[in-house]
Structures are given as C-alpha cells and as structure tokens.
Amino acid sequence: MFGYVTINKDALSAEEYQRFRAQYCGLCHVLAQRYGKVGRAVLSYDMAFLSALLASLYEPEERAGEERCGARPAKPHAYVFSEATEYAADMNIALAYHVCADHAKDDKSASARAQMKLLAKPYARVKELHPETCAAIEACIAAIAEIERDPAAGLDAPANETGQLLGAVYAWKDDLWAPTLHDMGAALGRFIYVMDAYDDLAADEKRGRFNPLLALRGRSDFEEMCKKILVLHIAECAREFEKLPIVNDVNVLKNVLYSGVWTKYAYLQKRKEEKQ
C-alpha cells in the first residue's frame, strides 16, 4: 500500500522541493512525538502527501521548527506541522499496522510480526482517537481478505475495497469537502491496488499468492490494458482533486498526482526494457 504516492523531485523548483521536505520532516517529527521511534520508523511519503493536501485545503495554523534526526544528523533541518499533520500521523500508524499484519500473514515474515507487535499499542491509541475511520479500514481489510481467498476473483472487487479504505482515510472531517476527499482517496486507492498488483506480479506467481492480474497476463494487450486501467483511476483522482479550492502548495500536490505516482511504473518499464 505504501510507496507509490511520491514526488518527482526533478519537476519541482528548489523552493517547492524544500517546502515538501519540511512537510515530510514535520510528519516525521509528529510521529516521533506521538508514537516514539516506532512511529518514525513507518514514516511514508503517502501520508506526507495526505498531510500536505489536508493542510492546503483546510489551512490550519502551522507550526515550524528545526531539528537534527538520525536520518539527517549533520545539521538542523526545517520542519512544519499542523493539525492535519497529526491526523496524517495517526493514519500512517493505522495503515502501517495493517500492512505489517498483511506481510506477517502472507509472507510469514518474522520482521513484519515483530513490527506489528510494536505497532499494536500505537494502533490501539489511533483506534481510540478515530474509531469510525479505523472501523472502516478494518472492514475493508476483512473484505479484501475474503475476496482474495477466491483464486478466480477479478480485479475490480479488491481494488474497489482498497478504494473505500483510502477514501475513509482521506475524508478527514464530516463537512462539505468530505465527499470529494473520499472520492479522491477512493480513486487513488484503486490506482494503488492495481499498481501494487502490477509491481508484484512475478513475485506473487513465484510464491503462489493471489494476484488478479495473473489470469490476465496471457492477453496480447496486457501491458496496454494495465496502463489504461491505471490512467483511468489516477484521472478520476485528479478530477476530484481539481474540485478542491486549493491554492497553497498546489504545484507540489499536482506534481505528486500528475507525475510522482508514475515513478514506480516508469522504473518497472525501464527494468523490462533492460531485460529484453
């Protein structure tokens, strides 16, 4: 689930990149404050994007500072955070917990089980703070697991559940922007599910794991079909994003949605070309 929502640094100005770095470091700062080292260990660009999106839309009071950290110990670096960052940090913990649980179950990963145990207490706190959102996440996770028990299950059902999961996460407040944020998150969630399935295709076949694209791989237009599906979902996401009255950091946010999310796809295509 993590790793596909990122920036394209080369397409940003130096000022825009530093602004996003400050937001990313702000999320790291808040994760450490609220959840300690285990929180900082699961920091993701995906939730930094959510933090920046919600801060741009709702414009909560922003706080700033400088600090050194283990990743950048040489000199102090700037960070900014707000109420939106705190929400994104909570969602970062919730999603990381479930990602670890999934890896522990599917891959029998000892490290995932260990990290899941470390995240159990932080996730319990998140559930207290956001019971409805966590209930929606858990319901979608359970539905995806049930769907994926059927080897013949298609692509749409699990992708739609992943969309509903991320839609619940994106709809921060119960207000007039919640439906648009939900639909934006839902489209992005479907994109992420398909991209993840595309990325993991060879590994899932080797390990005998469920992947809805395995049944479609024999099609002569398989690559074109996958690209069209991905374009469809991210276009739906961008369409909902454009409905939001966002001014602050709009170029950074557009960089992610129109360019950054394709970084992994471009990398996979390059690897295929090199192999051929």
Side-chain angles (χ1 to χ4, degrees), residues 6-8 11-12 250-260:
T6 187
I7 60 169
N8 179 359
L12 290 175
V250 66
N251 288 339
V252 175
L253 296 171
K254 285 184 175 180
N255 172 277
V256 173
L257 291 179
Y258 295 110
S259 180

Side-chain angles (χ1 to χ4, degrees), residues 209-228:
R209 296 183 304 204
F210 173 84
N211 188 315
L213 293 179
L214 284 172
L216 303 171
R217 196 178 55 174
R219 290 177 50 151
S220 60
D221 64 342
F222 176 75
E223 291 293 336
E224 180 183 0
M225 177 200 70
C226 290
K227 182 71 176 290
K228 284 182 177 179

Side-chain angles (χ1 to χ4, degrees), residues 2 6 18 29 34 45 65 70 77 93 98-99 101 124 129 147 152 178 183 190 193 238 247 254 276:
F2 288 134
T6 187
Q18 289 304 318
H29 175 82
R34 291 167 81 86
Y45 276 106
H77 53 272
I93 292 293
H98 286 291
V99 167
L129 293 170
I147 292 166
D183 291 348
R190 292 191 292 272
Y193 184 88
V247 177
K254 285 184 175 180
Q276 291 175 353

Side-chain angles (χ1 to χ4, degrees), residues 8 26 45 59 84 93 106-108 135 137 148 171 216-217 272:
N8 179 359
Y45 276 106
E59 300 183 352
I93 292 293
D106 290 348
D107 302 335
K108 312 302 182 189
I137 291 171
E148 292 185 346
L216 303 171
R217 196 178 55 174
K272 288 181 180 180

Side-chain angles (χ1 to χ4, degrees), residues 41-252:
V42 297
L43 168 69
S44 77
Y45 276 106
D46 305 64
M47 292 297 103
F49 171 75
L50 177 63
S51 174
L53 172 71
L54 297 177
S56 298
L57 176 61
Y58 290 102
E59 300 183 352
E61 179 183 357
E62 194 170 87
R63 287 158 281 176
E66 289 188 343
E67 67 178 357
R68 288 183 173 89
C69 68
R72 302 170 71 188
K75 61 180 181 179
H77 53 272
Y79 64 84
V80 295
F81 68 97
S82 66
E83 182 187 4
T85 318
E86 292 169 349
Y87 173 74
D90 294 343
M91 294 300 102
N92 201 144
I93 292 293
L95 295 179
Y97 174 84
H98 286 291
V99 167
C100 289
D102 184 60
H103 289 324
K105 181 186 70 174
D106 290 348
D107 302 335
K108 312 302 182 189
S109 169
S111 61
R113 284 198 300 273
Q115 194 167 39
M116 180 183 167
K117 290 180 180 179
L118 291 173
L119 287 167
K121 187 174 180 179
Y123 180 54
R125 181 186 173 194
V126 174
K127 289 180 72 172
E128 290 179 359
L129 293 170
H130 311 283
E132 292 184 3
T133 305
C134 288
I137 291 171
E138 291 177 2
C140 291
I141 293 288
I144 293 167
E146 182 63 29
I147 292 166
E148 292 185 346
R149 288 191 184 98
D150 180 4
L155 182 62
D156 289 346
N160 287 337
E161 287 295 339
T162 306
Q164 289 303 308
L165 186 159
L166 205 60
V169 169
Y170 269 55
W172 179 21
K173 299 177 182 287
D174 184 15
D175 61 9
L176 77 159
W177 298 119
T180 303
L181 286 168
H182 177 279
D183 291 348
M184 178 185 171
L188 184 58
R190 292 191 292 272
F191 174 89
I192 289 170
Y193 184 88
V194 177
M195 184 68 84
D196 189 55
Y198 183 78
D199 186 10
D200 290 346
L201 192 61
D204 287 342
E205 181 179 34
K206 182 178 180 180
R207 298 176 184 176
R209 296 183 304 204
F210 173 84
N211 188 315
L213 293 179
L214 284 172
L216 303 171
R217 196 178 55 174
R219 290 177 50 151
S220 60
D221 64 342
F222 176 75
E223 291 293 336
E224 180 183 0
M225 177 200 70
C226 290
K227 182 71 176 290
K228 284 182 177 179
I229 294 171
L230 290 167
V231 169
L232 172 66
H233 292 321
I234 205 64
E236 290 175 353
C237 177
R239 184 180 65 225
E240 296 304 319
F241 168 78
E242 296 291 352
K243 295 177 183 178
L244 300 171
I246 288 176
V247 177
N248 297 334
D249 302 316
V250 66
N251 288 339
V252 175

